[in-house]
Amino acid sequence: MNLAGIAAVAKTIRSLSIDAIQKAKSGHPGLPLGCAELAAVLYGEILKHNPADAKWADRDRFVLSAGHGSMLLYAVLHLAGYAVSLDDIKAFRTVGSKTPGHPEFGVTDGVENTSGPLGQGIAVAVGMAMAETMLAATYNTATRTIVDHYTYVLVGEGCLEEGVSAEASSFAGHLKLGKLIAFYDENRISIDGSTDITFTEDIKKRYEAYGWQVLQGSMYDVEGIADLVAQAKQCADKPTLIMLKSVIGKFAPKQGTAKVHGEPLGDADVAETKKNLGLRPDEFFYEDPAALAYFADKQADFARRHADWQAEFDAWAAENPALAKRWQAAFAGTADGEHIDPVYEIGASVATRTASGDMINAFGLSHSYMVGGSADLKGSNKSGMDCDGGTYALGNRAGRSIEFGIREFGMASETLGLCVHGGLRPFCATYLVFSDYMRPSIRLAAIMKQPVIYDLTHDSIFVGEDGATHQPVEQLASLRAMPGVQVLRPGDAEEVVVAWHIAMESTDHPVVLSLTRQNVPVYAKDDADWKKTIRRGAYIVRNGTESPDITVLATGSEVNLALEAAALAAGKTVRVVSVLDRALFEAQPDDFQRQILGGAPRVVVAEAGSKSGWEGFATSRRDLFTINQFGVSGAGNMVAKALDFTAEKLAELLND
């Protein structure tokens, strides 16, 4: 190990970090100053990676869960040879730069995930580690190994205080993910001061209780860090937490205090820090020649390791053409098999959650890399995979059905990790009301443009007896308000089939499927080409007439409600429109919207949820047939009656 080279890299990381943060007049110098040695030894000696190809499938993954310390990552990526230039470093935290305030997937070469909301990084890393085991079990053979990499993550106290880290770490221990290695930056400082004011638990015992191996060392002993990683790799059936005692803001005048956590050091302290590092105070963005030489020498090793893998992969592909075809489809996101869509008879009564389960199993046949599960609700969500080969576990890493347990936030983040890893198409399922627990991760998936599918059932007051806590009211509105999230609420089983096709076709955004618990009739469609029209967001279910008196825009189970109400509306010609995707319909050209609305002088909206977002569609406030209060406990039809949300009440509104 070239200790002098690693020391030069650590010095340069500190130099670039403090200058970039000071130039931006914004940032977090504490972590880059405190963890520079870890980044240097990790990217120089430990990681299996190739800066010339940041998307190499069998690379080790590194997740900076403590994303506020982004300059640590940008600096080491720059030095290691990724497409992060010195000018990019100088443009830190400026609009349009490759070095945003927190790491963003797809913006910076070598950044594996968007991080910043504390705790989500380690949860995403758990999903990445799961993905590695799934792909290894699927593609490795007795004679060839093409999937064999580790997932590393750097966490701080803030990450471990957030609840999602507990959910994900518990799950990782349960799954015995031996190729997951987390480094804990143990500096005991947070924004408001010492962590002792809020965080005094025994982290070692906590993680041992989760089923992790826990090792301890110093952030500044690079040989010791390498030895600890080697020791971690010897433990195949436990993830490892490596606790590294550190000094936040090391070498700064205010090192070891909250003053160096989240704001620039200031000109005077920058100068003093540089003196402490043996640098000239008037030299900015200094790069130690020894650091540049160290990584220049490493490039051949990086390339050789990648080339060795490529040779192994090519030999594997030649020996296993069927598996190679499957691999290619998985990483391209195309079908590698066939399925027949389920067919439902008009008039049949089918819950849309049931139809969704049918589609999960259909796509499971045509997409062998589709994986997923639910938060202890597989039977209730109808999200089980009959074609899955069993439940994913230590003894069955090829299992495609995942039992996430009652950890909705962790589940969503782990599913995001499965997705961004590559080679898998994941979904996760729970009740719509519990999307509140998942929102931060759904938001992150949208920011990262990852096509995660969220199968959310029990989507209205018609859940019934479980009462207000389980009856979603505002969740659809809140999910629709999130940029980049596609929300689909199919009205019957036939629409579910199309909705799942839309979801599986997504390549750059997450998709929410909102599904009923209760059975709903499959209705006849007046639009003969409805399967095509619905892909524009809405279509005409019942025409009524070419020039209707009223057009009702309905979603989900309320399409049937609207059809019943239209039949009860005496003397009115009523058009019923199913709005599968409100945002998509709203984005259509005016002539298409006018065609769907039919020039009706009155437009009524029917949805068993908040009116929020529908105001621009309805003719007036009175034409918003929505629910703007919490529910009550009772049978679904009785709850609807208690809340005046029935076909009869809608018919009264239409007749008004």
Side-chain angles (χ1 to χ4, degrees), residues 28 106 114 134 143 169 239 244 301 319 323 337 359 362 402-403 411 485 562 574 608 611:
H28 298 73
T114 297
M134 289 177 166
T143 58
S169 298
L244 298 174
D301 291 338
E319 294 168 7
L323 274 180
M359 289 305 296
I402 305 170
E403 299 282 0
M411 172 182 71
V485 176
V574 180
K611 67 182 180 181

Side-chain angles (χ1 to χ4, degrees), residues 489-557:
R489 192 167 186 242
D492 70 359
E494 288 190 323
E495 290 186 19
V496 170
V497 174
V498 179
W500 259 102
H501 276 275
I502 292 171
M504 288 293 288
E505 290 163 12
S506 170
T507 60
D508 62 359
H509 62 268
V511 178
V512 168
L513 297 167
S514 174
L515 305 161
T516 69
R517 174 200 186 195
Q518 77 277 19
N519 291 337
V520 291
V522 178
Y523 39 76
K525 284 85 172 167
D526 283 355
D527 183 348
D529 203 18
W530 71 271
K531 291 183 181 180
K532 179 179 178 181
T533 311
I534 197 174
R535 286 176 168 271
R536 301 183 71 177
Y539 76 101
I540 300 167
V541 176
R542 192 75 72 250
N543 203 9
T545 179
E546 290 301 320
S547 300
D549 297 318
I550 304 171
T551 294
V552 180
L553 301 178
T555 75
S557 54

